[in-house]
Amino acid sequence: GQNIDQPTEMTATEGAIVQINCTYQTSGFNGLFWYQQHAGEAPTFLSYNVLDGLEEKGRFSSFLSRSKGYSYLLLKELQMKDSASYLCAVMDSNYQLIWGAGTKLIIKP
Amino acid sequence: NAGVTQTPKFRVLKTGQSMTLLCAQDMNHEYMYWYRQDPGMGLRLIHYSVGEGTTAKGEVPDGYNVSRLKKQNFLLGLESAAPSQTSVYFCASSRRDEVTGELFFGEGSRLTVL
């Protein structure tokens, strides 16, 4: 079966750096996505990786290793507004998105 | 800048009742989707549409029907609601030619079936 694994919850301190991991086993691969979802709100797109390596976008970076079935989202200079759930999703060979359950990130002052 | 709009935002149903969730997008997107989100689980695709007049089943289609009579609207129907359909429902849309496949989500509709 297809599976996306990510930690259920993480805690970090304001101003620090946090890395949220995602491992996947899917039928084919056509890209990996990260979305941010604040409590009670809709998910919003953060990043897309289809080739191995690091994609940087401001304070957020996303890394992909296709051979290891592994990705991480790196958040730098954490702010209180970064408290949210972070969803990892993989597009399989049928171009369907397979979603992880999400990682709830708690930022403490 | 409305984007994707869902109505209603909240609804309480009794078992066996029917209802329709409406999704409207003003971005001229070809693709539209209905997902459900339950605690401890990833988003699960119910039905989707790749264009006006077309629909297809997703991962969890049973108990739901959809229609896409107009490009901007995607309706999700529950014919006979069951407590297992208590969930938060999200509509999303995307462009056909978008390389990244970015989805734009509505704010969600919280449905409780008693």
Side-chain angles (χ1 to χ4, degrees):
Chain A
Q2 306 201 92
N3 195 47
I4 310 286
D5 285 319
Q6 46 181 137
T8 303
E9 187 175 296
M10 299 182 69
T11 302
T13 304
E14 188 178 16
I17 300 173
V18 70
Q19 177 176 310
I20 302 174
N21 295 326
C22 171
T23 58
Y24 63 89
Q25 290 179 307
T26 57
S27 302
F29 179 85
N30 281 301
L32 185 142
F33 301 78
W34 285 97
Y35 281 76
Q36 180 189 59
Q37 185 178 24
H38 286 101
E41 298 184 8
T44 55
F45 173 81
L46 285 178
S47 68
Y48 168 75
N49 295 70
V50 67
L51 300 176
D52 291 351
L54 188 68
E55 294 280 344
E56 297 185 82
K57 190 184 296 185
R59 294 188 300 113
F60 292 8
S61 302
S62 57
F63 171 83
L64 174 67
S65 169
R66 289 172 296 171
S67 63
K68 295 182 179 179
Y70 168 71
S71 172
Y72 67 73
L73 180 69
L74 191 71
L75 291 72
K76 302 176 184 177
E77 302 170 9
L78 286 170
Q79 302 175 9
M80 297 304 294
K81 68 179 182 179
D82 297 329
S83 292
S85 288
Y86 291 86
L87 314 181
C88 174
V90 173
M91 186 170 284
D92 68 12
S93 57
N94 293 319
Y95 294 93
Q96 297 291 336
L97 276 175
I98 311 301
W99 295 82
T103 298
K104 182 179 181 180
L105 178 62
I106 300 169
I107 309 297
K108 296 185 176 180
Chain B
N1 295 336
V4 179
T5 304
Q6 293 180 227
T7 53
K9 300 278 191 298
F10 301 92
R11 184 74 187 270
V12 178
L13 288 177
K14 294 182 179 178
T15 297
Q17 288 184 319
S18 63
M19 74 159 296
T20 300
L21 296 176
L22 171 63
C23 177
Q25 53 96 4
D26 62 1
M27 297 173 283
N28 202 36
H29 285 170
E30 292 84 4
Y31 294 173
M32 296 188 74
Y33 314 82
W34 275 107
Y35 284 95
R36 61 178 289 173
Q37 187 174 43
D38 301 292
M41 303 181 71
L43 288 162
R44 291 184 291 170
L45 183 64
I46 304 171
H47 286 279
Y48 65 98
S49 168
V50 299
E52 181 179 322
T54 73
T55 63
K57 295 180 179 179
E59 179 187 358
V60 288
D62 293 344
Y64 305 94
N65 56 76
V66 288
S67 64
R68 182 116 181 253
L69 299 179
K70 294 182 178 181
K71 185 177 183 178
Q72 63 268 33
N73 295 337
F74 196 29
L75 278 64
L76 177 71
L78 284 70
E79 295 176 342
S80 179
S84 61
Q85 294 177 305
T86 293
S87 187
V88 180
Y89 292 86
F90 284 100
C91 176
S93 69
S94 66
R95 287 171 51 185
R96 179 176 57 199
D97 59 350
E98 178 61 62
V99 173
T100 66
E102 177 183 353
L103 298 181
F104 294 83
F105 285 86
E107 295 181 347
S109 298
R110 187 174 297 274
L111 175 66
T112 301
V113 182
L114 302 176

